[in-house]
Amino acid sequence: MNQPLCVLIVEDPENDATPLLQALRHGGYEVVYAVVGTPAAMRAALKSQEWDVIISDYAMSHFSAPKALALAKKLRPERNLLYIERSENVN
């Protein structure tokens, strides 16, 4: 049986979250998630549900990880926020 994990993903387009979700599922988690890409969407998600962890891309077109961290500290100071930075494979 997989361990449940509620993840708030701060990311531009939702399809960019696919590799992260696959990795979490491969690691044995049953992932419940939401993807947000703006401060307003993140604020609404933080107010609407409890999250086990917040995972944020570092650089986004309309938001940034430092701003996401500031918002998380304000609304959910007990939650951990992990930064990720995407790297592209070049063959």
Side-chain angles (χ1 to χ4, degrees):
M1 183 171 157
N2 291 342
Q3 180 177 346
L5 184 68
C6 292
V7 182
L8 180 58
I9 301 170
V10 185
E11 176 69 82
D12 273 331
E14 186 169 350
N15 64 355
D16 283 351
T18 301
L20 172 62
L21 293 168
Q22 289 173 339
L24 291 170
R25 289 178 180 129
H26 182 70
Y29 291 100
E30 182 178 326
V31 184
V32 175
Y33 72 97
V35 179
V36 298
T38 65
M42 183 178 174
R43 188 176 294 106
L46 288 171
K47 289 181 178 181
S48 70
Q49 183 172 336
E50 288 294 324
W51 302 98
D52 296 316
V53 66
I54 304 164
I55 301 175
S56 177
D57 192 358
Y58 194 83
M60 297 167 274
S61 57
H62 301 296
F63 207 14
S64 68
K67 289 179 182 177
L69 177 60
L71 186 56
K73 280 186 169 185
K74 181 178 178 183
L75 297 176
R76 297 281 187 211
E78 73 286 357
R79 285 298 140 242
N80 292 318
L81 187 140
L82 304 171
Y83 292 139
I84 59 170
E85 188 163 345
R86 216 164 285 294
S87 65
E88 299 295 324
N89 273 341
V90 178
N91 293 323

